[in-house]
Amino acid sequence: MLQCIFLLSDSGEVMLEKQLTGHRVDRSICDWFWEQAISQGDSFKLQPVIASPTHYLFQVVREGITFLACTQVEMPPLMAIEFLCRVADVLSDYLGGLNEDVIKDNFVIVYELLDEMIDNGFPLTTEPNILREMIAQPNIVSKVLSVVTGNSSNVSETLPGATASCVPWRTSDPKYANNEVYVDLVEEMDATINRDGVLVKCEIYGEVQVNSHLSGLPDLTLSFANPSILDDVRFHPCVRFRPWESHQILSFVPPDGQFKLMSYRVKKLKSTPIYVKPQLTSDAGTCRVNVMVGIRNDPGKTIDSITIQFKLPPCILSADLTSNHGTVNILTNKTCSWSIGRIPKDKAPSMSGTFVLETGLERLHVFPTFQVSFRIMGVALSGLQIDKLDLKNLPNRPYKGFRALTRAGEFEVRS
């Protein structure tokens, strides 16, 4: 049972406090939390569960905002973490993004959403479709009316019909002239390549995202050609578990609109679509750098939005970098960004230049790590393939669409 939720900014300021039970949690717990975060650095922010002298704390960090939940009793930690993730997703959906200003400008709606999402410390209504029927999304008209009438509440006076339905994630009896459903495979490749060019880790985190505009109460089944490659699968509550357990088939009544049907991992991949080869040599107070980028395994689709970023070590006083393709920028926080875009067919992009080391330092002892980003439309690099999508209980034949997208996640090359 959660007792309190705090929303903290990057500076440690408490932007929002929501007490969930009769026993009040003092704000001093935020001071303790922030002192620990400052003293321990980034490693502390990676800890989802923290034991303080008086409370158990659960944290989720999104877009520089820390969602902090407190309890004095033992409880399943995954429930608290999953609830905080759902709160962050719902707020991002409602407010069109997450940042400090948006939270402060719409704190009334944030409080109203938390009132509906949790009851006396236990999760209650977390489905966005139901919440939209209960609480109006912010817009200019509603803000003007609240100023004119003095009524700042966005809560509907009628209870959504889906709350009494056996499928509470779906709005009651939607009707569409054109029935459509779109399925997207969205994958992120996480890879680590050591200084010898050896692929240490390579895996895919993927999501099956569905955008459904179907009338009535449709029943869908989605099957894959090669489901055996999937690990760590997680499902939306609409998915029936038995068909997946027995035949690896997704059987579900979809929510109305866009939602994440499932997530998965594909582990121990053997190669990456592009290579990044950095070379650094230093002597006499300078360091020469050369970075080459090229296609290692052609995925059959265009690789675009390629960007290489790295942080200059503190011992570097200045840097002079140029490239034969794309643009190189050195930002004020000593981050170098090389925007390549697409790799041309007639040459391999390369970046070269020199670093000037601080006085008294002959050689570079701290080497940068290169962060790689890219995007490939129309292909899922995990190899996952959708076999078929069947739809039942529909008055007419719907339109079905399928797409795939792969982008870089935590893709780093060490030098």
Side-chain angles (χ1 to χ4, degrees), residues 267-286:
K267 301 180 179 180
K268 298 180 180 179
L269 299 179
K270 303 298 183 183
S271 62
T272 60
I274 65 175
Y275 67 81
V276 177
K277 296 180 178 179
Q279 292 182 336
L280 289 88
T281 57
S282 61
D283 56 42
T286 61

Side-chain angles (χ1 to χ4, degrees), residues 72-360:
Q72 286 181 307
V73 298
E74 290 193 10
M75 62 174 290
L78 284 178
M79 184 183 80
I81 295 167
E82 178 64 24
F83 177 74
L84 290 179
C85 290
R86 184 60 66 92
V87 169
D89 291 339
V90 168
L91 292 184
S92 179
D93 181 48
Y94 256 79
L95 308 178
L98 275 179
N99 60 59
E100 188 174 341
D101 294 332
V102 168
I103 295 293
K104 289 181 177 179
D105 290 343
N106 298 277
F107 71 93
V108 173
I109 288 180
V110 177
Y111 274 114
E112 289 171 345
L113 286 170
L114 289 175
D115 276 332
E116 300 299 337
M117 293 183 72
I118 195 163
D119 182 35
N120 198 35
F122 294 94
L124 184 63
T125 303
T126 60
E127 285 299 325
N129 280 322
I130 308 305
L131 290 170
R132 287 192 193 97
E133 291 189 47
M134 302 173 76
I135 300 172
Q137 289 184 273
N139 54 53
I140 296 177
V141 175
S142 64
K143 289 182 179 179
V144 171
L145 286 176
S146 67
V147 172
V148 173
T149 63
N151 180 19
S152 60
S153 176
N154 298 278
V155 181
S156 172
E157 295 181 357
T158 59
L159 190 67
T163 55
S165 170
C166 60
V167 283
W169 53 83
R170 185 171 177 81
T171 53
S172 55
D173 197 27
K175 291 182 172 61
Y176 294 99
N178 298 316
N179 288 289
E180 303 172 331
V181 58
Y182 301 95
V183 180
D184 292 341
L185 293 180
V186 180
E187 298 188 340
E188 289 188 352
M189 173 173 279
D190 298 335
T192 302
I193 301 168
N194 67 14
R195 60 185 306 173
D196 298 322
V198 177
L199 187 63
V200 177
K201 183 192 81 169
C202 187
E203 63 182 34
I204 291 283
Y205 169 79
E207 295 180 355
V208 179
Q209 298 178 358
V210 179
N211 194 358
S212 169
H213 299 283
L214 302 172
S215 304
L217 197 65
D219 202 317
L220 280 63
T221 55
L222 177 66
S223 59
F224 301 102
N226 49 348
S228 59
I229 67 173
L230 301 180
D231 292 308
D232 301 336
V233 291
R234 295 177 59 198
F235 303 109
H236 187 278
C238 70
V239 175
R240 304 179 180 100
F241 187 64
R242 285 189 178 180
W244 176 264
E245 193 177 35
S246 57
H247 300 99
Q248 281 71 56
I249 293 175
L250 295 176
S251 175
F252 59 99
V253 175
D256 192 42
Q258 190 165 359
F259 67 100
K260 181 173 69 176
L261 179 65
M262 69 174 288
S263 63
Y264 58 88
R265 286 193 183 276
V266 178
K267 301 180 179 180
K268 298 180 180 179
L269 299 179
K270 303 298 183 183
S271 62
T272 60
I274 65 175
Y275 67 81
V276 177
K277 296 180 178 179
Q279 292 182 336
L280 289 88
T281 57
S282 61
D283 56 42
T286 61
C287 177
R288 289 172 294 279
V289 59
N290 183 68
V291 183
M292 294 189 64
V293 178
I295 296 176
R296 184 187 301 276
N297 291 300
D298 192 345
K301 299 288 184 178
T302 302
I303 306 174
D304 59 12
S305 301
I306 301 174
T307 302
I308 312 295
Q309 284 191 343
F310 64 95
K311 189 96 170 183
L312 296 175
C315 61
I316 293 178
L317 296 179
S318 63
D320 181 19
L321 299 171
T322 59
S323 66
N324 65 351
H325 182 78
T327 57
V328 180
N329 294 303
I330 300 178
L331 309 179
T332 54
N333 61 351
K334 299 188 73 173
T335 297
C336 178
S337 177
W338 179 22
S339 298
I340 300 173
R342 297 182 180 181
I343 296 178
K345 295 182 179 180
D346 57 340
K347 61 182 177 182
S350 66
M351 178 183 66
S352 59
T354 57
F355 299 150
V356 177
L357 309 184
E358 62 185 14
T359 306

